[in-house]
């Protein structure tokens, strides 16, 4: 599974459109993840996880920044995300199955907010992009 | 067994009442074949699946999508009894169709994305969570008779 030129162009174009709202959508994706996949909350016992939580919002912004970094380095995702991979593997020790839950909720969030853009081809490109990000994030494990 | 609260059932049922099963079925199955192209392995007899537009416009994909989503509608009517409701279909998918149950999870998530796409603001985190439970329940029920 490779990110084709078309996939990259699609993801870059959508990210440009999201502009400064990436943080809002990443936060919503996190909220959706906590509600739909409650086991993910076990990584955040120190957070207020109620809707509107400032901590979740701050974390959403962190996730957004990482995704924006990924979009800027589509040619070398493992390299760009290696520090984050180390963090998640060795310090946070997050089971990688959880990355898929967040990735799915990101797709749901984007489908909900950008229906005109979320055609089957964009859905496929985004899914592939997120799979590559997840792969890069999991690369330091084990 | 999946347990649904009264609120979750109400959310699932009320949204489903507004789903155009024919339209959404074709959309869901089509997107499964586009986003996860290896799933095309089960549909060699469907003709042209060579591009996104070929897949989304393929009449056999639409017809089969409608069949699949109608079955999902049955799940919505029997949320407390998914294993029994899908017992025969489970045997069929294992013994005759030889479908890896992993595919049920993929289809379930595509359905959730399509519902978000169609219902937008109404597809709140709570409604999504209820539907994630349904699709997980259906996937488990469909895998239940595998051997």
């Amino acid at each position: 599974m490779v990110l084709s030129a078309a996939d990259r162009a699609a993801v870059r174009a959508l990210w440009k459109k999201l502009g400064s709202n990436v943080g809002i959508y990443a936060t919503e994706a996190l909220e959706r993840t906590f509600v739909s996949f409650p086991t993910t909350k076990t990584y955040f016992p120190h957070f207020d996880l109620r809707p509107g939580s400032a901590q979740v919002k701050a974390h959403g912004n962190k996730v957004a920044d990482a995704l924006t970094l990924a979009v800027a380095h589509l040619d070398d995702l493992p390299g760009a995300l290696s520090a984050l991979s180390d963090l998640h593997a060795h310090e946070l020790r997050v089971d990688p199955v959880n990355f898929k839950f967040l990735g799915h909720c990101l797709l749901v969030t984007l489908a909900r907010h950008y229906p005109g853009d979320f055609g089957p081809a964009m859905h496929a490109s985004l899914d592939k992009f997120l799979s590559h990000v997840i792969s890069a994030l999991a690369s330091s494990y084990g | 067994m999946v347990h649904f609260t009264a609120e979750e059932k109400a959310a699932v049922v009320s949204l489903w009442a507004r789903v155009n099963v024919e339209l959404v079925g074709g959309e869901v199955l089509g997107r499964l074949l586009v986003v996860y192209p290896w799933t095309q392995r089960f549909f060699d007899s469907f003709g042209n699946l060579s591009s996104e537009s070929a897949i989304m416009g393929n009449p056999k994909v639409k017809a089969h999508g409608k069949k699949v989503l109608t079955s999902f509608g049955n799940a919505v009517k029997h949320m407390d009894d998914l294993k029994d409701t899908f017992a025969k279909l489970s045997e069929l998918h294992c013994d005759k169709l030889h479908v890896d149950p992993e595919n049920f999870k993929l289809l379930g998530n595509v359905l959730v994305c399509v519902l978000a796409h169609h219902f937008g603001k109404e597809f709140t985190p709570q409604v999504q969570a209820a539907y994630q439970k349904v699709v997980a329940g259906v996937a488990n029920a469909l895998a239940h008779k595998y051997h």
Side-chain angles (χ1 to χ4, degrees):
Chain A
M1 203 181 32
V2 178
L3 269 179
S4 69
D7 291 327
R8 291 165 203 230
V11 171
R12 285 180 186 131
L14 184 72
W15 230 255
K16 205 169 174 187
K17 199 167 182 177
L18 299 183
S20 55
N21 289 329
V22 183
I24 295 175
Y25 302 129
T27 299
E28 182 177 325
L30 269 174
E31 284 170 354
R32 286 181 180 272
T33 306
F34 294 140
V35 177
S36 277
F37 306 103
T39 52
T40 57
K41 294 190 290 187
T42 56
Y43 293 98
F44 300 93
H46 53 303
F47 268 29
D48 168 12
L49 293 178
R50 288 169 302 179
S53 153
Q55 287 174 306
V56 175
K57 192 174 172 188
H59 199 70
N61 283 328
K62 273 192 194 170
V63 172
D65 288 343
L67 287 169
T68 300
L69 178 78
V71 174
H73 292 89
L74 293 175
D75 297 327
D76 180 30
L77 284 174
L81 298 175
S82 79
L84 275 172
S85 182
D86 286 343
L87 178 75
H88 284 77
H90 305 310
E91 283 187 49
L92 304 173
R93 288 172 292 186
V94 176
D95 192 301
V97 72
N98 296 285
F99 304 150
K100 280 193 192 176
F101 295 148
L102 180 62
H104 167 68
C105 287
L106 247 157
L107 285 180
V108 171
T109 304
L110 292 173
R112 170 261 182 274
H113 285 278
Y114 289 87
D117 297 278
F118 198 74
M122 175 62 85
H123 183 168
S125 296
L126 278 170
D127 187 85
K128 271 196 216 166
F129 162 64
L130 290 170
S131 294
H132 280 247
V133 168
I134 286 167
S135 215
L137 263 181
S139 60
S140 291
Y141 279 71
Chain B
M1 201 188 87
V2 196
H3 171 75
F4 295 92
T5 65
E7 290 79 16
E8 284 166 341
K9 284 187 194 171
V12 169
V13 169
S14 83
L15 196 86
W16 197 259
R18 295 152 53 210
V19 167
N20 179 328
V21 165
E22 179 159 9
L23 212 73
V24 171
E27 181 81 19
V28 170
L29 186 63
R31 281 179 184 252
L32 180 78
L33 300 174
V34 169
V35 178
Y36 307 108
W38 55 92
T39 58
Q40 292 171 26
R41 70 191 304 280
F42 303 109
F43 302 103
D44 280 339
S45 64
F46 274 30
N48 187 3
L49 298 177
S50 61
S51 69
E52 180 222 342
S53 52
I55 291 170
M56 300 311 290
N58 184 311
K60 286 190 174 176
V61 170
K62 291 185 188 187
H64 196 71
K66 180 181 176 182
K67 207 172 176 179
V68 169
L69 220 68
T70 302
S71 185
F72 237 95
N74 207 21
V76 170
K77 292 198 192 109
H78 296 95
M79 285 162 70
D80 287 330
D81 188 29
L82 293 173
K83 288 216 164 78
D84 283 341
T85 303
F86 285 93
K88 284 266 174 297
L89 273 174
S90 180
E91 286 169 12
L92 177 78
H93 282 76
C94 173
D95 300 329
K96 295 266 154 44
L97 304 176
H98 310 294
V99 176
D100 181 343
E102 195 57 34
N103 293 283
F104 308 146
K105 295 182 195 171
L106 293 179
L107 184 80
N109 280 338
V110 172
L111 172 60
V112 167
C113 285
V114 171
L115 291 176
H117 190 225
H118 278 242
F119 290 101
K121 194 172 169 183
E122 285 181 70
F123 203 69
T124 61
Q126 287 67 29
V127 173
Q128 179 190 349
Y131 268 93
Q132 296 290 169
K133 268 178 148 177
V134 177
V135 302
V138 171
N140 284 335
L142 271 175
H144 189 66
K145 292 283 191 182
Y146 272 64
H147 58 93

